[in-house]
Amino acid sequence: AEYMGAKQRRLCLFVMAFIKVVKNKAYFKRFQVKYRRRREGKTDYYARRRLVAQDKNKYNTPKYRFVVRVTNSRVICQIAYAALQGDKVLAAADSKELVRYGIKVGLTNYAAAYATGLLLARRVLKQLKLDSDYAGQVDVDGEAYHVEENMEGDRRPFKALLDIGLARTTTGARIFGAMKGAADGGMHIPHNEKRFPGYEAGEKEGNLDASAHRDHIFGIHVSNYMEYLQEEDPDKYATQFSQYIKANIKADGVEEMYKKAHAAIRKNPDRVTPERKHAPVKTVTGNKVKTSKAVYTRRVKISNAQRRSRVEQVKSSKIKAALNA
């Protein structure tokens, strides 16, 4: 400031006077934090609001969502709907269940996602006693199929909206494989074929290569890659397909494996409850809790009248003790 001229000092003071503090006390008093799951980066509330909101004239009818999540080791599909207490799940299927249908390996690829969606569709339709009315697409050809265009019974088909969470909607993504499996299984999921494998966008209208889509549904793209690696790089084949080799699954048997699995799913989509390998660690009977170590007694919640009665008993006992003393 000592070396500034009078004009420079006046200019400096003029600039300093108009610096605005944005995050002042008023800002922080009015600051509202976002929802917890938004802060954690888990939920897209822009999409969820539209998936959950139901018309008031529907009289509390649930708005079902076909929820698909793909992890590193499995594909999870659920039929869920929103309630005030939180989301409730009507039915669920996991690609780990495909093992008992003959699919022991590749539980996260497109074919496994399709089979998981098919399993959930047949399971929920059987649960709602709609499985006989809506068989879906039995002869899978990769073409687009909409059950609402082929209504067979008096009851309308079961409708659910696709919920993909934060996944990217790229062409050929596995989430659309699960959706295709559910649609072929007899569920009504509004969609088009623009994100299926084999779809090519044109200038005006695109075109779906149904044979390419069918190859993905039956894992033929996997068997082709297996044959390629066996010829070009046997060491990489032994590493990348070690579980296939261990399960004695060869490239020419992949398609038949998925065909048999689809037939088995349609025959019996019920969930199998695993048997207990050991006795339960903890059993609760009334307010008695028995564990492997001891038996504990929980305090039972009492009513207001019981609490007042207990207070009177304690008071009377204390008074008697004081008088006797």
Side-chain angles (χ1 to χ4, degrees):
E2 294 179 4
Y3 302 103
M4 287 184 185
K7 187 176 180 181
Q8 289 175 321
R9 282 199 295 270
R10 283 198 302 272
L11 182 61
C12 182
L13 291 171
F14 177 77
V15 172
M16 292 284 289
F18 286 94
I19 292 176
K20 183 180 179 183
V21 179
V22 178
K23 294 187 177 180
N24 53 16
K25 185 177 180 181
Y27 167 83
F28 287 108
K29 284 178 74 174
R30 289 162 177 79
F31 182 78
Q32 186 176 3
V33 297
K34 297 185 184 298
Y35 293 145
R36 176 180 58 82
R37 289 185 64 87
R38 172 61 190 87
R39 299 198 305 269
E40 294 173 352
K42 291 181 178 179
T43 300
D44 177 6
Y45 281 99
Y46 183 85
R48 179 177 170 81
R49 191 180 300 114
R50 286 153 179 77
L51 287 168
V52 166
Q54 180 67 291
D55 296 334
K56 286 189 175 180
N57 61 1
K58 296 292 179 68
Y59 301 103
N60 205 25
T61 303
K63 193 171 187 178
Y64 295 105
R65 308 193 316 276
F66 179 71
V67 183
V68 184
R69 298 292 184 269
V70 181
T71 71
N72 288 338
S73 59
R74 63 182 65 190
V75 179
I76 304 166
C77 297
Q78 295 176 337
I79 300 294
Y81 63 96
L84 289 175
Q85 298 82 9
D87 282 8
K88 295 185 178 181
V89 177
L90 181 67
D94 192 317
S95 62
K96 294 285 185 182
E97 297 180 58
L98 299 178
V99 174
R100 69 185 179 95
Y101 294 106
I103 304 174
K104 298 179 181 178
V105 291
L107 299 179
T108 56
N109 60 26
Y110 192 93
Y114 178 92
T116 308
L118 177 65
L119 174 60
L120 178 56
R122 300 312 301 166
R123 179 173 291 169
V124 73
L125 290 180
K126 186 174 181 180
Q127 184 176 326
L128 298 172
K129 298 180 180 178
L130 285 168
D131 54 333
S132 58
D133 292 339
Y134 298 101
Q137 181 80 321
V138 179
D139 299 324
V140 181
D141 54 6
E143 293 282 359
Y145 175 79
H146 300 277
V147 72
E148 67 275 13
E149 297 174 359
N150 304 281
M151 285 185 62
E152 300 167 10
D154 297 330
R155 298 169 65 187
R156 286 179 295 178
F158 181 78
K159 181 181 178 180
L161 303 178
L162 179 64
D163 182 340
I164 61 170
L166 302 177
R168 294 286 185 179
T169 54
T170 53
T171 303
R174 291 169 289 176
I175 49 177
F176 299 113
M179 182 193 70
K180 176 60 175 169
D184 284 357
M187 279 179 57
H188 171 27
I189 303 177
H191 68 280
N192 57 39
E193 68 272 11
K194 289 185 178 180
R195 288 301 181 187
F196 290 147
Y199 181 84
E200 292 183 4
E203 293 182 2
K204 292 184 178 180
E205 291 185 2
N207 180 40
L208 174 64
D209 185 357
S211 61
H213 191 197
R214 185 188 178 280
D215 289 351
H216 278 71
I217 291 172
F218 288 105
I220 296 173
H221 64 299
V222 177
S223 63
N224 290 340
Y225 186 57
M226 290 173 71
E227 291 173 352
Y228 168 78
L229 277 186
Q230 275 181 308
E231 295 177 1
E232 299 294 328
D233 194 344
D235 294 334
K236 188 176 181 181
Y237 170 78
T239 303
Q240 195 160 343
F241 290 98
S242 60
Q243 296 301 314
Y244 285 73
I245 297 169
K246 187 177 179 181
N248 196 26
I249 298 172
K250 298 179 181 178
D252 55 358
V254 172
E255 182 179 358
E256 191 63 28
M257 176 181 72
Y258 285 109
K259 282 184 178 179
K260 289 180 179 178
H262 294 174
I265 287 170
R266 287 183 173 277
K267 188 176 180 181
N268 181 22
D270 296 334
R271 178 183 289 278
V272 175
T273 305
E275 297 180 1
R276 282 185 178 271
K277 295 182 180 179
H278 53 79
V281 177
K282 183 177 75 172
T283 55
V284 181
T285 308
N287 65 332
K288 301 287 184 181
V289 181
K290 184 180 180 181
T291 66
S292 57
K293 295 182 180 179
V295 178
Y296 302 95
T297 304
R298 286 179 175 172
R299 290 189 65 183
V300 180
K301 187 176 180 181
I302 59 176
S303 64
N304 190 29
Q306 290 173 326
R307 189 177 291 107
R308 287 178 180 276
S309 175
R310 185 173 177 276
V311 169
E312 291 297 330
Q313 289 175 8
V314 172
K315 283 171 64 178
S316 61
S317 64
K318 293 288 185 182
I319 292 169
K320 285 180 181 179
L323 290 173
N324 293 333

